[in-house]
Amino acid sequence: MANRTDGPNLGRRSFLGGAATIGTGAALLGSGAPALAYEGPAPQVDFPEDPRAFGGGPAGTNTRAEIDLYDCEVEGSLPSDLDGAFYRVGPDPQYPKDPKWAGDIPFDGEGHVSMFRIKDGHVDYRTRYAKNQRWKAQHEARRSLFGMYRNHMTDDPSVEGLSRGTANTQLFVHHKKLLVFKEDSPPVAMDPLTLETTDDYYTFGGKLESQTHTAHPKIDPITGEYLSFGYEAGGFLSKDVNVFTADRDGNINWSVTVEAPYAGMMHDFAMTQRHVVLYLTNMAANLPQMEAGGVHFAYDSSLPCYMGVMRRGGDGKDIKWFTGPNMFCTHVMGAWSVGDKVISDWDGGEANQFPFFPQLHEPFDFKKSTGYIRRFTVDLSKKSNDTFQVETIYPEVTGVLSRQDDRFHTLPYRYGYLQGNGGWWMIDHGDKTTQLISVPDYRLSEMTFVPRQPDSDEGDGYLIGIGSSVKEAGRSDLILVDTKRVADGPIARIKMPFKVVGQVHGFWAGAQDIGAKA
Amino acid sequence: MANRTDGPNLGRRSFLGGAATIGTGAALLGSGAPALAYEGPAPQVDFPEDPRAFGGGPAGTNTRAEIDLYDCEVEGSLPSDLDGAFYRVGPDPQYPKDPKWAGDIPFDGEGHVSMFRIKDGHVDYRTRYAKNQRWKAQHEARRSLFGMYRNHMTDDPSVEGLSRGTANTQLFVHHKKLLVFKEDSPPVAMDPLTLETTDDYYTFGGKLESQTHTAHPKIDPITGEYLSFGYEAGGFLSKDVNVFTADRDGNINWSVTVEAPYAGMMHDFAMTQRHVVLYLTNMAANLPQMEAGGVHFAYDSSLPCYMGVMRRGGDGKDIKWFTGPNMFCTHVMGAWSVGDKVISDWDGGEANQFPFFPQLHEPFDFKKSTGYIRRFTVDLSKKSNDTFQVETIYPEVTGVLSRQDDRFHTLPYRYGYLQGNGGWWMIDHGDKTTQLISVPDYRLSEMTFVPRQPDSDEGDGYLIGIGSSVKEAGRSDLILVDTKRVADGPIARIKMPFKVVGQVHGFWAGAQDIGAKA
């Protein structure tokens, strides 16, 4: 054990109650010193070449660079009245893992946030890592200190007590904060314009009752409330699910905790004007696997998937868990209530969609992983009913990462969007038509809907998202398609001089929400 | 003319005495308002596709992104005791030019500084534009405001009185400042660690007697003095040449102004322990060309080139201009005095090396532009002598951008380096041997010598420089070669995830010079 008195985040960690030895530095702070573990000079930074290893692949696989590019190049015609910011986030490994943990999965990379600030036909690009507790500890130590995906037993002892959150999945602007999410931890708060991290562990003024927070909160377009939940809410392996809402200013105004049938992945959720819809997949937390140094989850097809439904705003005692055909659903396209019926559209496959998580009973089945739009209906009128109905709508449409016009969260909706293999699907539930938007020679990331004006009709606006050039290696464009002129192809392209940092999800916020000057 | 009262850099420009109309803002500052010229919303930023146009080429030709990349990937073995920073600078067009000036030359791009901070086997990368007066005015206006290369007659009237300097050619650390140069203007001062611009027009505490400053100052290894000069020192088309030295703290302790035979390009110079060597090429300032909207210089082979020599520390009255075979020389490899003889080694061709400058009398001659190492000897012992001698040494060696171990400025030296077509030439004037260091599949930029330790023998250390991968489009490495183990090839490569910003020149500064913490 090294004679090290300058551990990462000494102050915070001491107050959090790190273990062991009293060191000089810690004694000055009047608390226990951090557990001491890593020793020796920080190794040279060299990511593996094997693309199957964590952070592995050819040089440049990980971007890692924090960037300011003022006045990006714009081709085509960027609407001069478009005023807001397109945010994205994805994992971008801060350091290579200790070789023991090189088998870790891509979902464990540290969250790198990027922003395209659009105004007056000009675009400024900025990226910053979410500077959470994990990032700061590793930055100071100049090495990886966290082991396998959501398995604290594999961490360097020096980080005991620190949040393991990576903030790498999705982000959202509400009450003038850019909140960045990883579903195993509370959000990180950033300034929406500067991307400065303002809180490395944001708990809504200490009122958050969960130790976790979904990557997919919603906003109620009627009340302006923030709608959210967390699973494993009571901590490691907890079956607790906390559901809460917060007012326009971020004050939590409703919070209940219910119990799930088991601890498993609940990536997204839905809230309607009257109900809450939870969905528990059989990607179950697996303690023996973690004790053996593995990741948090294993896919267990012997377990049923559950849909949990309860009244919004109630005490949670009415939660009821329904079963039906097993589906591996990840993202909600839209959800609403009609009388006693609760309808929610998800993208999902018949089985596991994440091949990098171990499967307990059978090999990964590519065909069964294929995502379709699944319409779930739960009828609450018959008390004895304990099953839900599933319909696969638009069987010609396959894809993942479903989205909608975010202004129609909680409400009946007409337009949905899905990331297909060959481009972006636009779904019109009114006409029951679908069309695929493809951009030749570009591989498209998830799209986000941008309203033409804050008060435009549903679906009237733009789809925005990153395209990676197939012909120009190492270059990306930000692409804008007018939803009313899809056949015209992209109306504008922001031509980036490099490959932009990768993403899982993106989010659009108008100027009025990000504190921008007029 | 637009009704615009919020011109760029209003305060500074008012004090500099911009022309015209009293506007509200300017009146508050108690001085004349700036000349108002550009109007309408800033146009979308779109660089030309034609690579012959200013900033033109495929997307990504201009980098423009300001970057922080902490802990770059390192392959090979970076010496753990290497502690310092490798700085680079080059033009990186901030905005596309007004189409009228699209024929401007690459030398007119705004200066983008990059730094590799190396310590303990770790490397942090940072880049920032030099935030000089030109950059700030254009940043605020979101468009190009300066016309052709060193021709103020082509500028937008709003920038009258601002420095036209681009700070895009070379940089140097002295008295704890990172000084960034363009030979038409005083330096920009930056913080050597943060790259924050601390002075957009640095005049050595107001003591600089020249309106210009070379891109190639030197440091006297005996006294620690800063050795420098400026041509067109009295302003536009001036024949004045100011030569000065400053002490270790940047206080100018000698300054004289002499007159050159005509106003022409004097890109580099030499100072020995006892003499100053100026070199005037026949790339002459050309007023009619500028009045017609062209660039500053035209190559006039009818003019003789001159070497001016005078005593260092004198009153300048002994300046004598020598002629000899016309040579187009750009960079000094080394220079020293022996008795009354002043010897200086330059790289140079027989004719113009810059094809983008107009030629008055003949077409550009590629063969005559080829650079060799030219040894100039001037014998001051015979008062009647008015010619210099030139010898082309190492005729097998061709190249440009000659360098030496910078600790041997002013002194007899043994090792020189030259950028060849196929790699880096190492010249040993002691053994009279040469070797070419090539790195397969990489195109190398200018090298800089790094001493192994601050007090190592001459030439004992590393050559450092950027290589652009030929196979991995859009990627660069920083390459380190041990001068004592050249045959081993690069001992370390810093693998960048993207193509780094381009450069003209680079500079190495040890930790002790940049204000780094131990």
Side-chain angles (χ1 to χ4, degrees):
Chain A
M1 191 161 289
N3 182 13
R4 191 171 62 83
T5 55
D6 56 342
N9 298 293
L10 188 58
R12 172 174 293 270
R13 295 181 62 253
S14 299
F15 289 112
L16 288 172
T21 333
I22 300 292
T24 316
L28 289 172
L29 289 159
S31 182
L36 305 178
Y38 65 80
E39 51 185 307
Q44 275 187 193
V45 176
D46 193 4
F47 283 90
E49 285 173 25
D50 186 338
R52 296 166 303 179
F54 179 83
T61 295
N62 313 301
T63 303
R64 301 173 73 235
E66 296 185 312
I67 290 173
D68 281 287
L69 174 46
Y70 189 80
D71 254 331
C72 302
E73 267 202 89
V74 180
E75 225 178 65
S77 182
L78 195 58
S80 61
D81 58 354
L82 191 60
D83 189 358
F86 177 51
Y87 299 98
R88 307 159 59 244
V89 68
D92 191 15
Q94 185 185 3
Y95 283 98
K97 295 272 178 185
D98 183 296
K100 280 202 297 292
W101 315 124
D104 196 19
I105 64 172
F107 280 5
D108 210 26
E110 286 71 17
H112 194 159
V113 172
S114 53
M115 167 180 70
F116 291 88
R117 171 77 176 102
I118 301 177
K119 182 180 165 64
D120 298 332
H122 287 249
V123 184
D124 300 332
Y125 178 70
R126 171 168 285 176
T127 89
R128 293 291 185 273
Y129 271 104
K131 306 284 166 58
N132 53 10
Q133 297 177 7
R134 175 181 180 126
W135 186 93
K136 287 188 278 193
Q138 296 186 143
H139 184 77
E140 189 172 334
R142 303 197 89 137
R143 70 186 88 196
S144 172
L145 297 172
F146 291 80
M148 298 295 279
Y149 174 79
R150 295 177 67 174
N151 180 358
H152 63 276
M153 293 175 271
T154 57
D155 293 348
D156 188 277
S158 67
V159 298
E160 194 185 330
L162 290 191
S163 170
R164 304 189 83 257
T166 48
N168 71 8
T169 313
Q170 174 57 313
L171 26 65
F172 227 75
V173 173
H174 194 267
H175 56 286
K176 299 279 191 286
K177 292 183 196 304
L178 176 63
L179 300 177
V180 193
F181 311 112
K182 177 72 182 185
E183 65 198 54
D184 69 348
S185 49
V188 170
M190 299 173 93
D191 181 295
L193 290 174
T194 65
L195 300 190
E196 183 197 358
T197 297
T198 54
D199 194 331
D200 66 8
Y201 193 85
Y202 181 69
T203 57
F204 295 80
K207 300 294 172 54
L208 181 65
E209 294 178 353
S210 175
Q211 296 182 36
T212 63
H213 184 288
T214 182
H216 292 291
K218 311 281 186 273
I219 294 175
D220 184 319
I222 310 291
T223 64
E225 286 172 297
Y226 181 89
L227 318 174
S228 192
F229 86 110
Y231 70 96
E232 294 196 40
F236 185 61
L237 300 183
S238 147
K239 291 191 282 185
D240 286 354
V241 182
N242 176 255
V243 183
F244 73 96
T245 61
D247 68 17
R248 288 178 191 276
D249 299 321
N251 303 304
I252 291 180
N253 55 14
W254 176 58
S255 175
V256 294
T257 295
V258 298
E259 189 173 287
Y262 56 88
M265 184 188 284
M266 301 170 73
H267 180 63
D268 200 349
F269 87 126
M271 210 179 288
T272 71
Q273 282 293 309
R274 292 187 290 118
H275 298 102
V276 174
V277 180
L278 303 171
Y279 191 71
L280 172 65
T281 63
N282 46 15
M283 182 63 82
N286 191 300
L287 183 59
Q289 180 175 289
M290 286 186 273
E291 286 174 336
V295 295
H296 193 78
F297 290 121
Y299 180 68
D300 184 351
S301 58
S302 73
L303 292 172
C305 299
Y306 289 94
M307 180 158 280
V309 180
M310 65 177 172
R311 275 185 302 121
R312 174 174 165 184
D315 61 6
K317 290 181 181 159
D318 59 316
I319 182 81
K320 188 164 178 181
W321 294 93
F322 297 82
T323 56
N326 264 12
M327 287 286 160
F328 192 87
C329 291
T330 42
H331 296 103
V332 172
M333 185 175 276
W336 69 100
S337 298
V338 184
D340 285 332
K341 284 188 178 159
V342 186
I343 300 137
S344 56
D345 293 343
W346 299 67
D347 65 76
E350 290 172 40
N352 178 24
Q353 295 194 308
F354 298 129
F356 38 76
F357 284 122
Q359 303 213 153
L360 295 185
H361 307 298
E362 63 285 295
F364 181 80
D365 186 330
F366 180 78
K367 191 157 182 295
K368 284 189 175 171
S369 77
T370 305
Y372 290 86
I373 307 172
R374 318 287 190 173
R375 176 158 291 177
F376 288 74
T377 305
V378 176
D379 187 344
L380 301 175
S381 63
K382 296 172 198 147
K383 296 291 174 203
S384 61
N385 177 30
D386 57 5
T387 61
F388 55 78
Q389 276 66 53
V390 185
E391 186 190 357
T392 299
I393 54 180
Y394 312 106
E396 75 278 17
V397 172
T398 61
V400 294
L401 304 171
S402 59
R403 299 293 298 256
Q404 70 179 134
D405 178 338
D406 290 343
R407 298 170 306 161
F408 286 78
H409 287 165
T410 77
L411 298 176
Y413 77 108
R414 177 168 177 176
Y415 297 101
Y417 312 100
L418 193 76
Q419 170 75 7
N421 224 336
W424 296 331
W425 283 105
M426 266 181 58
I427 316 291
D428 179 346
H429 294 304
D431 289 348
K432 298 198 188 312
T433 58
T434 63
Q435 50 184 322
L436 183 68
I437 303 167
S438 52
V439 180
D441 299 325
Y442 280 78
R443 285 190 309 275
L444 301 181
S445 298
E446 183 210 58
M447 83 307 297
T448 296
F449 174 80
V450 180
R452 195 176 305 274
Q453 300 290 342
D455 60 353
S456 292
D457 289 344
E458 182 186 358
D460 179 17
Y462 315 97
L463 292 181
I464 197 169
I466 290 293
S468 300
S469 172
V470 172
K471 291 187 172 171
E472 298 163 85
R475 264 228 330 109
S476 317
D477 285 357
L478 177 65
I479 287 168
L480 207 74
V481 173
D482 188 325
T483 59
K484 299 294 186 195
R485 292 163 49 204
V486 166
D488 294 356
I491 58 165
R493 293 164 184 260
I494 289 84
K495 312 286 287 184
M496 303 301 289
F498 38 64
K499 178 186 76 173
V500 298
V501 59
Q503 73 173 74
V504 181
H505 295 290
F507 183 79
W508 171 265
Q512 70 283 1
D513 293 326
I514 58 177
K517 279 180 277 187
Chain B
M1 193 161 290
N3 181 14
R4 192 170 63 81
T5 55
D6 56 342
N9 299 292
L10 188 58
R12 170 175 293 272
R13 296 180 62 253
S14 298
F15 289 112
L16 289 171
T21 333
I22 300 292
T24 315
L28 289 172
L29 289 160
S31 184
L36 305 178
Y38 65 80
E39 50 185 308
Q44 275 186 192
V45 176
D46 193 5
F47 283 90
E49 285 172 25
D50 186 337
R52 295 167 303 178
F54 179 84
T61 295
N62 312 301
T63 303
R64 302 173 73 235
E66 295 184 312
I67 291 173
D68 282 286
L69 175 45
Y70 188 80
D71 253 333
C72 302
E73 269 201 88
V74 179
E75 227 178 64
S77 183
L78 195 59
S80 61
D81 58 353
L82 191 60
D83 189 359
F86 177 52
Y87 298 98
R88 307 160 59 243
V89 68
D92 190 15
Q94 185 186 3
Y95 283 99
K97 295 272 178 185
D98 183 296
K100 279 201 299 291
W101 316 123
D104 197 19
I105 65 171
F107 280 5
D108 209 25
E110 286 71 18
H112 194 158
V113 172
S114 53
M115 167 181 69
F116 292 87
R117 171 75 176 103
I118 300 176
K119 182 179 166 63
D120 297 333
H122 287 250
V123 184
D124 300 331
Y125 178 71
R126 171 168 286 176
T127 89
R128 293 291 184 274
Y129 271 104
K131 306 284 166 56
N132 52 10
Q133 297 177 6
R134 175 180 179 126
W135 186 93
K136 287 188 279 192
Q138 296 186 143
H139 183 78
E140 189 174 334
R142 303 197 90 137
R143 70 186 89 196
S144 172
L145 297 173
F146 290 81
M148 298 295 280
Y149 174 79
R150 297 177 66 175
N151 180 356
H152 63 276
M153 291 175 270
T154 57
D155 293 348
D156 188 278
S158 67
V159 298
E160 194 185 330
L162 291 190
S163 170
R164 303 189 83 257
T166 47
N168 71 8
T169 312
Q170 174 60 311
L171 26 63
F172 228 74
V173 174
H174 194 267
H175 57 286
K176 298 279 192 287
K177 293 183 197 304
L178 176 63
L179 301 177
V180 193
F181 311 112
K182 176 72 185 185
E183 66 198 54
D184 69 348
S185 49
V188 170
M190 298 172 93
D191 181 295
L193 289 174
T194 66
L195 300 190
E196 182 196 358
T197 298
T198 54
D199 194 331
D200 66 8
Y201 194 85
Y202 182 70
T203 57
F204 296 79
K207 300 293 171 54
L208 182 64
E209 294 177 354
S210 175
Q211 296 181 36
T212 64
H213 184 288
T214 182
H216 292 291
K218 311 281 186 272
I219 295 175
D220 185 320
I222 310 292
T223 64
E225 285 173 299
Y226 180 90
L227 318 174
S228 192
F229 85 110
Y231 71 95
E232 293 196 41
F236 185 60
L237 300 183
S238 146
K239 292 192 280 185
D240 285 356
V241 182
N242 175 255
V243 183
F244 73 96
T245 62
D247 68 16
R248 289 177 190 276
D249 299 320
N251 303 305
I252 291 180
N253 55 15
W254 175 60
S255 174
V256 294
T257 296
V258 298
E259 189 172 288
Y262 56 87
M265 185 187 284
M266 301 172 72
H267 181 63
D268 200 349
F269 87 126
M271 211 179 288
T272 71
Q273 283 293 309
R274 293 188 289 117
H275 298 103
V276 174
V277 179
L278 302 171
Y279 192 71
L280 172 65
T281 63
N282 46 14
M283 182 63 80
N286 191 299
L287 183 60
Q289 180 175 289
M290 286 186 272
E291 286 173 335
V295 296
H296 193 80
F297 290 121
Y299 179 68
D300 184 353
S301 58
S302 73
L303 292 172
C305 298
Y306 289 94
M307 180 158 280
V309 180
M310 65 177 173
R311 275 186 303 118
R312 175 175 164 183
D315 61 7
K317 289 181 182 159
D318 58 318
I319 182 80
K320 187 164 178 181
W321 295 93
F322 297 83
T323 55
N326 263 12
M327 287 285 161
F328 192 87
C329 291
T330 43
H331 296 102
V332 171
M333 185 176 277
W336 70 101
S337 299
V338 184
D340 286 330
K341 284 189 179 159
V342 186
I343 301 137
S344 56
D345 292 343
W346 299 67
D347 65 75
E350 290 172 39
N352 178 24
Q353 296 194 309
F354 299 130
F356 38 77
F357 284 121
Q359 304 213 153
L360 295 185
H361 306 298
E362 63 284 294
F364 181 80
D365 186 331
F366 180 79
K367 191 156 182 295
K368 284 189 176 172
S369 76
T370 305
Y372 291 86
I373 307 172
R374 317 288 189 172
R375 177 159 292 179
F376 288 75
T377 305
V378 176
D379 188 346
L380 301 175
S381 64
K382 296 172 198 146
K383 295 291 175 203
S384 62
N385 177 30
D386 55 8
T387 61
F388 55 76
Q389 276 66 56
V390 185
E391 184 190 358
T392 299
I393 53 180
Y394 312 106
E396 76 278 18
V397 172
T398 62
V400 293
L401 303 170
S402 59
R403 300 293 298 256
Q404 70 179 134
D405 179 338
D406 290 343
R407 299 171 304 162
F408 286 77
H409 287 165
T410 76
L411 298 175
Y413 76 109
R414 176 168 177 177
Y415 297 101
Y417 313 99
L418 192 76
Q419 171 75 8
N421 225 336
W424 295 331
W425 283 106
M426 266 181 61
I427 316 290
D428 178 347
H429 294 304
D431 288 350
K432 299 200 187 310
T433 58
T434 63
Q435 50 184 322
L436 184 68
I437 302 167
S438 52
V439 179
D441 299 325
Y442 279 80
R443 284 190 309 274
L444 301 181
S445 299
E446 182 210 59
M447 83 309 295
T448 296
F449 174 81
V450 179
R452 195 177 305 275
Q453 300 289 341
D455 59 353
S456 293
D457 288 345
E458 182 186 359
D460 179 17
Y462 314 97
L463 291 182
I464 197 169
I466 290 293
S468 301
S469 172
V470 173
K471 291 187 172 172
E472 299 163 85
R475 264 228 330 107
S476 317
D477 286 356
L478 177 64
I479 287 168
L480 207 74
V481 172
D482 188 324
T483 59
K484 298 295 185 195
R485 292 162 50 204
V486 166
D488 294 355
I491 58 164
R493 293 166 184 258
I494 289 87
K495 312 286 287 184
M496 303 302 288
F498 39 66
K499 178 188 75 174
V500 299
V501 59
Q503 72 174 73
V504 180
H505 296 290
F507 184 79
W508 171 265
Q512 70 284 2
D513 292 326
I514 59 176
K517 279 180 277 187

